[in-house]
Amino acid sequence: LVDGAESMLPKLPWPAAFEKDTFLRPDFTSLDVLTFAGSGVPAGINIPNYDEIRQSEGFKNVSLGNVISASYGGKRDNTFVNETDNQLLKKHKGPSFEVQVGLHELLGHGSGKLFYEGNYPADLINPLTGEKVACYYKTGETYDSVFTTLGSSYEECRAECVGLHLCMEPDIMQIFGHSGEEAEDIKYVNWLSMVHAGVKGLEMFSPASMEWKQAHSQARYVIMQVMLEAGEGFLKVEKVEGKDGKPDLLITMDRSKLETVGVPAISKFLQKLNIYKSTADIKAAKEMYDAYSKVSSEGAAPWLLWRDIVIARKQPRAILVQGNVKIAEENLSLTQYDPSPEGMVQSWIDRFPDMSELDAMMVELNKKEELHWS
């Protein structure tokens, strides 16, 4: 994917002048992780987060391969979809997510140029206005300083749209080893998964403050709203009665209209996302993004009320349990555990069989940190 990046970037929906003069090839590594210290385990990491460094120096990308297979193994049923789509998601969610993560991280975050005075043609035309480019980053400004609190979710949304846009290219799908009917199913599942994540993302919206609490969740909700706005029966989300007799939601995507309705809508939206970012047009960007981010209790789709259904249908988070390694007679062995509370407890018991040793470690750590708490 990295090797072919220069031929893939022109497929994105903006003129060449809005792309970096030279694609800075990322340092890419795919890892299987034994442990990851944190409240959640990402499937991919793109560093640094400072866009000005990505623009001039480049970036590094790490894909955590076994996180994808562990988190998207296709064992559990999927909420808010019919049985046919449920089976497709269970079968292809892992492979489709691998495609999306690769495109999102490598070509999503790695694409697009920031305009500073003098680094773009003076007569360059903004394709959205038909007039000369009038906005740019002033000396000392960065993407983060201009887009501030909007910046993180906005950039995640742009990268997600790059993934949706480029996954429709047959040659790109072949890089991931997919062709024919399988590739068509994976494309559909990738788009359907984005909408599914947009609905589930309502979990991360706070009705109390009327604010989004997570950048990726907001981005996927915004993308879902763009697809719904496309109309022509491409995407529907409606309130229904579930099999248990309780309120439920049903996502219906017409895959026959993916190329004719879905792709043009996302491509047009992606072009706006990138050009507003390139030209530092925070006013237009915020107006557009806030409109799509709105969660209202009114209208044909009262998302604020439907959020209660999403919360009621919330599934337990997948448990990722840390394995243990042992060396016996110069041979390394890996012990893995059931993804359950019992498995997690057993993992800790096996890791620290001598509790006094663990207590001593904790006391020592506490001594080192005491000065920060006094």
Side-chain angles (χ1 to χ4, degrees), residues 101-116:
V101 169
L103 295 173
H104 172 118
E105 299 292 353
L106 290 171
L107 301 177
H109 291 312
S111 64
K113 179 178 180 177
L114 301 186
F115 288 178
Y116 287 88

Side-chain angles (χ1 to χ4, degrees), residues 119 182 201 263:
N119 81 336
E182 181 195 39
V263 171

Side-chain angles (χ1 to χ4, degrees), residues 214-232:
Q214 213 284 333
H216 294 82
S217 297
Q218 181 182 1
R220 290 158 186 161
Y221 177 85
V222 165
I223 292 169
M224 176 181 68
Q225 295 301 324
V226 173
M227 292 189 201
L228 287 167
E229 184 184 66
E232 298 186 45

Side-chain angles (χ1 to χ4, degrees), residues 314-351:
K314 184 178 179 179
Q315 296 174 317
R317 289 179 66 175
I319 298 177
L320 300 178
V321 181
Q322 180 177 329
N324 286 314
V325 290
K326 291 182 180 179
I327 297 179
E329 298 179 357
E330 298 187 3
N331 292 317
L332 184 70
S333 65
L334 170 66
T335 303
Q336 302 203 69
Y337 303 87
D338 289 334
S340 64
E342 293 80 5
M344 183 170 285
V345 170
Q346 190 61 51
S347 171
W348 279 89
I349 291 172
D350 291 352
R351 192 172 309 116

